[in-house]
Amino acid sequence: MARDQLQVLNALDGAKTQLYHFTTILIAGMGFFTDAYDLFCISLVTKLLGRIYYYRPGSLDPGSLPPNVAAAVNGVAFCGTLSGQLFFGWLGDKMGRKRVYGVTLMLMVIFSLASGLSFGHTPRGVMATLCFFRFWLGFAIGGDYPLSATIMSEYANKKTRGAFIAAVFAMQGFGILTGGIVTLIVSSVFRALFHTPAYQDNPMASTPAEADYVWRIILMLGALPALITYYWRMKMPETARYTALVSKNSKQAASDMSKVLQVEIVEDPEKVEEFTGGKEFGLFSREFLLRHGMHLLGTAMCWFVLDIAYYSQNLFQKDIFTAINWIPKARTMSALEEVFRIARAQTLIALCGTVPGYWFTVGLIDVVGRFRIQLVGFLMMTVFMLGLAVPYHHWTTPGNHTGFVVMYAFTFFFANFGPNSTTFIVPAEIFPARLRSTCHGISAAAGKAGAIVGSFGFLYAAQNRDKTKTDHGYPPGIGIRNALFLLAGFNFVGVIFTLLVPETKGKSLEQLTGEINDDKNVETRSGTQTLPV
């Protein structure tokens, strides 16, 4: 930049990595830990819900959720998340990050507990109350996306900002892993206490009445990490960038950051007015369209196509594992054994592919850069999806199942060491402070729209093309093989839209947005572009 930054912003950009950075990562990251646990644990217990509430006397196979109920249970939280991302993203720019941050966490606690207490006199009643509570749980989770990303980006220094934001998001991997481990523990305890036969041996006895406690306990435990974190969230000061650039109170920003950084920062009011006194523009203005319109299209579309692939895999990998015989046929297991086996498979995938991918991003994002990681990630996801789809019949024959799981784990590795991390990071860096939370919320909401497409659509798309081999109540689909081809296509679309997203490595937030004194300079990967007034 031709001109100097405000002193408080210079102090943040140049600050050495210290305790407050790690504290912020932990406080923001525990929210994401809870988010992931709450969103993904439902996939571990949907088969159990079907056995408990939709038992079909005389059927050769255990009960399963009807298609419309399964779609609602799996997808309703995403509808809430989408709404929460838009609402709390906007609110975070209007009221400040801190004032809204604690609200989302308390709502998560309340509705995690409420989900496990879902009630009703009929199966439909229980599912209806479960969906109601999970919608509002998703609404609270949605608020955590733009707020956590924005807070971490505005607290971080420019040298390691990418790693810090990625570390917050990486807690999602531990949330998914913990969901699997908790389910393994709970199902193991109940299996030890209540010895039950396989469904084919005794249909009624295979699902004990006590199994109804299993899914409730798993869902309710999601409230615990959020509750532990609440106090520390309330102790955090407002971000200096919001206070100085949006609230125009640089004195308070300097005071807050002096305490955090443990250095004296004194801001000259005249200098503040000089740097922040330019014309402001809104989200729907021509100025925003010229400066950031293509950026917003790029971040939103990349997140959209990523989440179609990512969430359809995560939510329905148990069906893929069944297809390759990694999980036995449901009739050969009791209800509790099925829960245990599904959790074990999902935990292994999280341990081998999901968690390592996140932390590779943390270690390399400020070295390699956001753009390259996202581009290579989408490309490798496309390659591995095709590697699963083209020889799909080979992978499903006896003796080849392990190879399928390895290939499948690599798709998750490159999703997380790739676009699943970068789509979260970049929207928190390239938009101006007064619109940063809103634009991140819009990008994230586009992602959850993709998750809704993936979670609702894959229920039907992955069904066998032979009508006699579909799950109960489902029409024929395109089959898992063709669904994998379709997901590979979505990943390649992500490659194309990545070209609209700028590189942000090593640059200050204000340098990226041209925010100081309303400069007309916008940073792109190819250099500085001067935009017309």
Side-chain angles (χ1 to χ4, degrees), residues 217-230:
I217 292 170
I218 292 168
L219 296 188
M220 291 174 74
L221 285 174
L224 190 59
L227 192 62
I228 293 171
T229 314
Y230 180 76

Side-chain angles (χ1 to χ4, degrees), residues 35-42 77-78 81 134 141 145 311 448:
D35 296 348
Y37 182 99
D38 289 334
L39 283 177
F40 291 110
C41 68
I42 192 68
F78 295 135
T81 303
R134 283 193 62 79
I141 289 171
Y145 276 73
Y311 279 88
K448 281 301 167 284

Side-chain angles (χ1 to χ4, degrees), residues 281 283 285-303 371 374 426-427 430-432 439 442-443 446 493-503 512 522-525 529 531:
F281 53 87
L283 180 65
S285 65
R286 178 174 177 271
E287 187 78 10
F288 179 86
L289 183 64
L290 289 171
R291 287 171 174 258
H292 302 293
M294 297 303 286
H295 293 164
L296 186 57
L297 176 64
T299 57
M301 283 302 300
C302 286
W303 212 331
F371 175 77
Q374 182 163 310
V426 175
I430 62 177
F431 301 107
C439 290
I442 292 171
S443 301
V493 171
V495 173
I496 297 170
F497 278 97
T498 295
L499 301 177
L500 299 178
V501 180
E503 179 57 77
L512 289 163
V522 178
E523 293 290 332
T524 66
R525 292 192 318 278
Q529 175 185 1
L531 297 174

Side-chain angles (χ1 to χ4, degrees), residues 115-154:
S115 295
L117 298 174
S118 298
F119 55 88
H121 295 294
T122 63
R124 178 177 293 182
V126 176
M127 293 301 107
T129 53
L130 175 61
C131 287
F132 174 80
F133 291 136
R134 283 193 62 79
F135 174 86
W136 290 108
L137 174 62
F139 186 73
I141 289 171
D144 226 45
Y145 276 73
L147 293 172
S148 289
T150 300
I151 285 171
M152 194 67 247
S153 73
E154 293 180 346

Side-chain angles (χ1 to χ4, degrees), residues 177-206:
L177 181 62
T178 301
I181 293 172
V182 167
T183 304
L184 285 173
I185 294 171
V186 173
S187 59
S188 296
V189 169
F190 275 77
R191 286 176 71 194
L193 292 174
F194 307 100
H195 299 285
T196 53
Y199 179 86
Q200 62 187 8
D201 298 329
N202 190 331
M204 284 291 291
S206 69

Side-chain angles (χ1 to χ4, degrees), residues 247-520:
S247 299
K248 307 291 178 65
N249 187 349
S250 63
K251 184 177 180 180
Q252 183 62 49
S255 174
D256 289 341
M257 290 304 102
S258 293
K259 295 174 184 175
V260 169
L261 298 173
Q262 297 181 338
V263 296
E264 185 177 355
I265 305 173
V266 180
E267 208 64 84
D268 181 352
E270 292 183 5
K271 186 178 178 183
V272 172
E273 181 61 29
E274 175 190 349
F275 282 138
T276 62
K279 179 185 175 183
E280 294 186 353
F281 53 87
L283 180 65
F284 300 105
S285 65
R286 178 174 177 271
E287 187 78 10
F288 179 86
L289 183 64
L290 289 171
R291 287 171 174 258
H292 302 293
M294 297 303 286
H295 293 164
L296 186 57
L297 176 64
T299 57
M301 283 302 300
C302 286
W303 212 331
F304 174 74
V305 296
L306 165 74
D307 275 8
I308 291 177
Y310 189 82
Y311 279 88
S312 62
Q313 291 178 88
N314 246 328
L315 287 167
F316 304 106
Q317 57 187 288
K318 59 183 179 293
D319 297 306
I320 295 174
F321 290 140
T322 299
I324 65 169
N325 298 318
W326 220 47
I327 295 176
K329 295 291 184 183
R331 69 172 73 100
T332 66
M333 299 180 286
S334 68
L336 296 175
E337 183 183 357
E338 185 176 35
V339 172
F340 177 86
R341 286 179 176 268
I342 290 170
R344 184 178 64 180
Q346 194 153 306
T347 300
L348 287 172
I349 287 295
L351 193 61
C352 299
T354 305
V355 173
Y358 282 120
W359 290 98
F360 265 77
T361 303
V362 174
L364 294 175
I365 192 164
D366 288 310
V367 178
V368 179
R370 287 72 156 152
F371 175 77
R372 289 180 182 176
I373 286 178
Q374 182 163 310
L375 191 70
V376 172
F378 269 129
L379 282 170
M380 295 306 293
M381 287 177 70
T382 304
V383 168
F384 279 107
M385 283 287 189
L386 291 174
L388 290 172
V390 173
Y392 180 73
H393 298 300
H394 165 77
W395 295 125
T396 56
T397 56
N400 298 321
H401 300 154
T402 302
F404 183 97
V405 173
V406 171
M407 293 280 286
Y408 190 69
F410 269 115
T411 64
F412 272 98
F413 175 82
F414 281 104
N416 295 308
F417 179 44
N420 194 40
S421 296
T422 54
T423 52
F424 176 79
I425 295 165
V426 175
E429 299 180 304
I430 62 177
F431 301 107
R434 61 186 175 276
L435 297 172
R436 184 170 292 134
S437 180
T438 301
C439 290
H440 194 285
I442 292 171
S443 301
K448 281 301 167 284
I452 292 169
V453 172
S455 60
F456 280 83
F458 199 81
L459 276 168
Y460 296 88
Q463 293 299 315
N464 199 293
R465 301 170 73 178
D466 184 347
K467 188 177 181 179
T468 63
K469 296 180 180 179
T470 62
D471 291 340
H472 177 74
Y474 286 87
I478 62 175
I480 291 178
R481 182 172 185 261
N482 289 330
L484 289 170
F485 275 119
L486 190 61
L487 295 177
F490 282 123
N491 289 329
F492 189 74
V493 171
V495 173
I496 297 170
F497 278 97
T498 295
L499 301 177
L500 299 178
V501 180
E503 179 57 77
T504 60
K505 182 183 72 169
K507 301 170 184 175
S508 73
L509 297 180
E510 291 69 40
Q511 182 183 0
L512 289 163
T513 63
E515 200 165 359
I516 295 298
N517 210 19
D518 206 36
D519 287 342
K520 302 301 178 190

